[in-house]
Amino acid sequence: MAAQPIPAARRKSILRVIFISLLLDLISFTFILPLFPRLLEFYRNLEATQGSSNSVLSRILLALNAYKQSFSRPISDRYDVVLLGGALGSLFSALQAIASPFIGSLSDKYGRRTALLWSMAGNIASVALWVAATDFRTFLASRVVGGLSEGNVQLATAMAADISDEKQRASTMALVGACFSIAFTFGPALGAALANVETVVANPFATAAGFSLFLIIVETAYLYMYLPETLPSSRTAESSNGPIVKPEASARPHQRTNSYLILNFTHFIFILFFSGMEFSFPFMTYDLFAYTSSQSGRLLGFIGLLASILQGGVTRRMHPLRSIQVGVISCIASFFLLGRLTTEAGLWTAAGLLAVTTSTVVTGLNTLSSFEAAESERGGKMGNHRSWGQVGRALGPLLFCTLYWWAGRDVAYAVGGAGMLGVCALVFGGLKAPLGISSRR
């Protein structure tokens, strides 16, 4: 027996819960992004005053310096903390790559709501550790716990697919993508402002961490009270205890249009190059224009704001395959422009192109991934899809910055552009429009 369609009013209510909760989650998540340099500088100075020469942080810094010194081109010490932040970001993404398939599969078996609430418990523990992080080991533990438990994004995407039919899918996924752009526009600025309010001497960032924890707790309570189960099988049969009972009946076999291997590989290759370019941005703007952190922040804020406008007004109306194609072409243009620009006007033009990419590609890939998964396997398949992207995000900064320092900006962005040409070949030659929307423009 097929799952019953969701009434329009109920779908709207569930979508509102997904949007508000994901926005709270991502704003909380982005608090820490502009604080990484000051956070890590604080812990490094703290250990220097304590005379810790064999601590976890000192060993990590020693390894990063050995990596930095392997290049013939001298690299300024001002990048030590940036490299450390990149290493922690890669660690978080690697842990997400491990956890995402398990979280998705558990949501297929026990329900999205149950999996999400358990994920929120891990998020609360992670941010609580950050509040209490008066030393680097505790802070590192908070990142590890967060990397292994964060499942909100993939589960929000799966729930959005659960409550959307084929005609609604693209616009619903764009709404989820808009949460990212909005959060990345305002979250970092709010986190930086809160970091200037010192309430705990032993942890100068406790105010930002505490407010982040408050948002996560509010989100968890909101989800507990208002989020129903969205798993399609729960609309036909559900047991009161244990796993959701999936109907045995003869629903029509799910027809796939795209190979999951090609979809996932496209996601991996795109994120590999794109995340490397993102991480190199502070180096490039400093080298060329001596940009300060606040100036780089304004540039990234512009990208986020423009991306959110595009997602709300343009991407949601586009065919998902078309949105991927447009985004990849825009990314190719931005890569080659970044490799040759000499003026700030060129930099802001490239930023505008990157905003187009940010608003289209990942949203479109997630939409295609949701079409290819049967209802009973959607969580696991989309978890695998996210995992491939997180592997790319773990490797991209390391590989791209190695190339940037070894061969220079021109070569690094030329290679990145060539890599995006490969992504373009996959998108135009390997991906097809899903059967259910193949007639839509």
Side-chain angles (χ1 to χ4, degrees):
M1 182 178 185
Q4 298 298 313
I6 299 178
R10 181 169 173 78
R11 178 181 179 274
K12 184 177 180 181
S13 173
I14 295 173
L15 195 56
R16 181 171 60 248
V17 174
I18 294 172
F19 181 84
I20 292 174
S21 62
L22 185 58
L23 192 59
L24 288 172
D25 187 81
L26 290 173
I27 289 175
S28 172
F29 176 80
T30 56
F31 271 14
I32 199 171
L33 298 183
L35 307 183
F36 264 122
R38 289 170 59 191
L39 261 167
L40 300 175
E41 191 71 42
F42 165 74
Y43 291 124
R44 185 171 68 171
N45 293 339
L46 179 66
E47 294 198 357
T49 60
Q50 295 174 343
S52 303
S53 59
N54 197 35
S55 63
V56 173
L57 179 57
S58 61
R59 291 198 296 270
I60 293 174
L61 286 172
L62 186 64
L64 288 176
N65 271 301
Y67 161 74
K68 192 178 70 170
Q69 296 303 322
S70 65
F71 300 100
S72 56
R73 176 187 175 187
I75 301 171
S76 170
D77 289 342
R78 76 183 296 272
Y79 292 137
D80 286 357
V81 170
V82 178
L83 279 172
L84 180 55
L88 289 180
S90 293
L91 171 64
F92 186 90
S93 296
L95 294 171
Q96 278 278 278
I98 295 170
S100 292
F102 292 101
I103 293 172
S105 296
L106 289 173
S107 78
D108 285 334
K109 185 176 182 180
Y110 294 99
R112 312 282 189 239
R113 185 178 188 275
T114 299
L116 183 53
L117 289 174
W118 277 108
S119 175
M120 292 305 304
N123 288 345
I124 290 173
S126 171
V127 183
L129 283 170
W130 181 26
V131 174
T134 57
D135 58 70
F136 180 74
R137 285 185 302 175
T138 306
F139 177 72
L140 182 61
S142 78
R143 303 303 294 167
V144 171
V145 172
L148 291 174
S149 61
E150 172 63 49
N152 305 56
V153 174
Q154 73 180 79
L155 293 176
T157 305
M159 289 187 292
D162 288 340
I163 63 172
S164 305
D165 62 24
E166 294 170 344
K167 294 181 180 180
Q168 300 165 330
R169 190 72 55 82
S171 61
T172 305
M173 290 297 183
L175 188 63
V176 172
C179 287
F180 276 88
S181 299
I182 294 170
F184 276 79
T185 299
F186 299 105
L190 183 57
L194 289 169
N196 292 324
V197 181
E198 186 173 316
T199 54
V200 179
V201 176
N203 182 3
F205 307 95
T207 303
F211 194 74
S212 178
L213 180 60
F214 169 74
L215 291 180
I216 292 293
I217 292 173
V218 169
E219 179 194 357
T220 304
Y222 180 65
L223 288 169
Y224 182 80
M225 290 187 292
Y226 295 107
L227 180 68
E229 181 52 61
T230 66
L231 200 64
S233 60
S234 69
R235 302 200 290 273
T236 57
E238 182 175 353
S239 65
S240 57
N241 296 303
I244 290 172
V245 179
K246 294 181 173 58
E248 300 288 341
S250 58
R252 171 175 72 169
H254 185 76
Q255 296 183 5
R256 292 190 172 93
T257 306
N258 291 298
S259 161
Y260 249 107
L261 178 61
I262 294 178
L263 269 175
N264 291 340
F265 185 68
T266 302
H267 193 203
F268 163 72
I269 291 294
F270 170 76
I271 294 294
L272 179 74
F273 288 104
F274 189 76
S275 65
M277 178 276 302
E278 280 184 312
F279 189 68
S280 73
F281 232 60
F283 308 117
M284 188 265 295
T285 55
Y286 177 78
D287 285 343
L288 289 181
F289 309 112
Y291 264 28
T292 63
S293 297
S294 61
Q295 287 174 307
S296 294
R298 283 196 294 272
L299 184 64
L300 295 175
F302 165 74
I303 294 173
L305 181 60
L306 182 55
S308 63
I309 294 171
L310 290 171
Q311 281 172 323
V314 180
T315 306
R316 62 189 297 269
R317 295 185 174 90
M318 293 178 70
H319 189 294
L321 182 56
R322 180 62 56 82
S323 72
I324 298 170
Q325 292 168 345
V326 169
V328 170
I329 291 172
S330 179
C331 193
I332 292 170
S334 67
F335 261 100
F336 287 114
L337 180 58
L338 287 170
R340 292 165 174 76
L341 63 86
T342 56
T343 65
E344 288 191 70
L347 175 64
W348 285 82
T349 301
L353 293 169
L354 291 175
V356 174
T357 302
T358 301
S359 67
T360 52
V361 178
V362 173
T363 296
L365 286 171
N366 285 338
T367 304
L368 291 187
S369 178
S370 72
F371 274 107
E372 302 305 330
E375 291 179 346
S376 62
E377 61 180 5
R378 184 173 288 149
K381 291 294 187 182
M382 296 189 75
N384 285 332
H385 183 71
R386 177 172 171 78
S387 178
W388 280 68
Q390 291 300 311
V391 172
R393 194 170 292 279
L395 296 175
L398 175 64
L399 296 177
F400 195 86
C401 286
T402 297
L403 187 61
Y404 186 98
W405 285 319
W406 192 11
R409 172 175 66 102
D410 296 357
V411 173
Y413 285 110
V415 171
M420 281 296 166
L421 285 173
V423 175
C424 190
L426 283 171
V427 168
F428 280 89
L431 298 182
K432 301 176 183 177
L435 294 176
I437 57 171
S438 58
S439 62
R440 296 178 62 224
R441 293 181 65 85

